[in-house]
Amino acid sequence: MIKCIKNFIIPIVNDDGFDTGEYKVVKMGSKWTINDDEGDFRLIGGDIRLVSIDSDTDLAWIEICKETFEEYFDIIR
């Protein structure tokens, strides 16, 4: 499990991977897992694809660079 350690904002993309001009907050305390089910698939080219395991978020998944992952997330064992 992976836990967000501080809030940050990400741009929202549509089903084709294009920026919608909207932004959402990834909330501190939200819980995620790394998506290994789809191999190397990345819709927007992020280094890491995380899938939400929280029911209280409206973000089903996010793609982020390694630097963002290291700054905003901790791996919880």
Side-chain angles (χ1 to χ4, degrees), residues 47-61:
D47 296 321
I48 300 169
R49 183 178 178 98
L50 299 177
V51 177
S52 175
I53 56 175
D54 274 342
S55 59
D56 65 343
T57 183
D58 56 350
L59 295 169
W61 59 269

Side-chain angles (χ1 to χ4, degrees), residues 7-38:
N7 291 346
F8 69 102
I9 297 172
I10 58 167
I12 302 303
V13 298
N14 64 19
D15 292 338
D16 296 318
F18 294 105
D19 192 334
T20 64
E22 297 177 38
Y23 295 85
K24 292 199 177 179
V25 174
V26 177
K27 296 178 185 175
M28 180 175 69
S30 59
K31 296 177 185 80
W32 304 81
T33 187
I34 293 179
N35 184 11
D36 291 329
D37 293 343
E38 297 178 17

